[in-house]
Amino acid sequence: MEGDILWGVDPERDRRLGRSALTRYLSAVGLAMLLFLLAARSTSLPVSLVRWYWQGHGIQAGDSAIQLVNMASYIFSLLVPLLFFVLFQGPRKTKAPLFPLGLPRRGVLFPALGICLGACSLSNYFSNWISLLIQRALPDVMPVYRADIPAQGAPMLLGLISAAVLPAIFEELLFRGAILQGARPFGDGFAILVSALAFTLCHTTVPQLAPALAAGLLFGFFTVASGSLLVPILIHCCYNLLASAVELAGTVGGPSLQRTVSLSISGGSLLLCLAGCVLLYLRFREKTLVREYRGPLTTGDRITGLVTSLPLLAAVGMLCWTTWEPLLKGAAGR
């Protein structure tokens, strides 16, 4: 019983209502992704305006001030789609929270940390190999994301917060919070898949795609398994901090130190991954961590919803074009 509707009496009506709810959800995801792209593309504007104002008034902007402006722009680019998604979805018809921030299920956090760090390290090596092949074939074409972190003092601390902590919080609230939790009425597996694909598409450079997909699937799985967003937030933060440490090692000590730090982190991550797999198996080998979907919609209904949602298709097309357009343009120019 939900409100004044008695479920299970009329299966065809239940299926019709389920399809309607799925359509609304997927439209919200598509429009939120389009807003994310628009907001991310516009974040450079306020930064440029602030710098122009400072220069016009003879204000010498320090690294700390620049980092604060960058942080504010980044938060804006994720808050806009997050707030839109929540408002577009409207009141939830389930008691499950959209942002579950309680204590995680016992025994999940440490295995999840090890498995995610190990898998993301492996996917990073794969993406670096792909990136190297593309750069050899099409030099100076592919944009590569690098965190701009000063080497010392308060600017370095602010840079780490901007590059590691804020993405961990706000990206998880959007992708493993709003998007994943909003899809759980249609099945945990479906929710994990949709949130992971949205997370991957919103990383709009080719080298980030493989790590983003691996992270999206694992973060989603362990969010459901633990029942808490605190798990993916903590893991995401740890992963970003390790990536920032590699960047800082290159800035401070050059390629040699960067290589040493990278190999050390990768080796430690793989050991943690093996330990995490063993711990997860020993503790949960006879338990279900992800529930099976038992609603009125069929697998065909959910797939049809995915491939016929116009806002979602528009978002996928725009994000794919943003990601691959530099490579296509570079290949056409050769």
Side-chain angles (χ1 to χ4, degrees):
M1 189 80 174
E2 185 178 315
D4 58 353
I5 298 176
L6 186 63
W7 298 97
V9 173
D10 186 345
E12 187 55 39
R13 181 209 58 186
D14 294 349
R15 190 178 176 190
R16 185 175 63 253
L17 292 174
R19 284 198 295 256
S20 175
L22 179 63
T23 298
R24 185 176 183 84
Y25 164 78
L26 292 174
S27 297
V29 173
L31 293 172
M33 290 168 66
L34 287 171
L35 279 175
F36 171 83
L37 179 60
L38 179 62
R41 285 303 182 94
S42 65
T43 52
S44 59
L45 179 61
V47 175
S48 300
L49 289 175
V50 170
R51 288 182 174 176
W52 171 79
Y53 178 83
W54 284 339
Q55 291 173 359
H57 290 76
I59 301 173
Q60 186 64 35
D63 288 339
S64 296
I66 293 172
Q67 290 294 335
L68 287 171
V69 173
N70 288 334
M71 289 166 61
S73 299
Y74 176 79
I75 292 172
F76 169 80
S77 71
L78 283 170
L79 274 182
V80 169
L82 177 62
L83 292 175
F84 171 83
F85 183 92
V86 173
L87 293 174
F88 188 91
Q89 279 283 86
R92 286 171 59 76
K93 296 180 179 180
T94 173
K95 295 181 180 179
L98 201 59
F99 306 105
L101 293 170
L103 291 176
R105 183 179 183 180
R106 186 178 177 184
V108 174
L109 176 59
F110 291 109
L113 181 64
I115 292 171
C116 290
L117 291 181
C120 290
S121 294
L122 283 176
S123 64
N124 261 330
Y125 276 105
F126 174 76
S127 69
N128 289 337
W129 177 68
I130 295 295
S131 177
L132 182 62
L133 293 178
I134 296 174
Q135 287 174 349
R136 286 177 178 174
L138 301 169
D140 302 322
V141 169
M142 183 175 59
V144 178
Y145 171 78
R146 292 190 64 183
D148 184 17
I149 304 174
Q152 58 185 354
M156 182 183 73
L157 178 61
L158 291 173
L160 288 173
I161 293 173
S162 179
V165 179
L166 292 181
I169 294 173
F170 287 98
E171 288 181 12
E172 294 310 314
L173 287 175
L174 176 59
F175 294 103
R176 257 65 63 182
I179 292 179
L180 187 146
Q181 303 300 327
R184 290 191 70 183
F186 310 107
D188 286 345
F190 180 79
I192 292 169
L193 178 63
V194 171
S195 64
L197 292 176
F199 183 66
T200 303
L201 288 168
C202 288
H203 285 73
T204 53
T205 61
V206 174
Q208 290 181 297
L209 294 180
L213 181 59
L217 291 170
L218 287 171
F219 289 177
F221 173 81
F222 284 113
T223 299
V224 172
S226 66
S228 175
L229 272 177
L230 296 179
V231 170
I233 288 174
L234 178 60
I235 297 172
H236 199 156
C237 186
C238 289
Y239 174 74
N240 287 347
L241 286 172
L242 292 176
S244 299
V246 174
E247 293 289 340
L248 281 174
T251 302
V252 174
S256 177
L257 180 61
Q258 187 176 45
R259 193 178 305 111
T260 301
V261 172
S262 177
L263 289 173
S264 300
I265 290 175
S266 298
S269 297
L270 291 177
L271 290 175
L272 283 174
C273 183
L274 292 175
C277 290
V278 172
L279 286 173
L280 195 69
Y281 173 76
L282 291 176
R283 185 166 183 83
F284 297 104
R285 56 185 168 182
E286 297 179 356
K287 298 179 181 178
T288 301
L289 293 176
V290 175
R291 67 180 175 85
E292 183 182 353
Y293 177 65
R294 299 184 183 277
L297 298 183
T298 64
T299 301
D301 289 332
R302 289 175 288 171
I303 294 175
T304 301
L306 280 173
V307 300
T308 58
S309 173
L310 293 181
L312 185 61
L313 292 176
V316 170
M318 288 294 295
L319 289 164
C320 286
W321 174 252
T322 302
T323 302
W324 293 97
E325 185 265 344
L327 295 184
L328 297 174
K329 184 183 293 185
R334 284 180 64 86

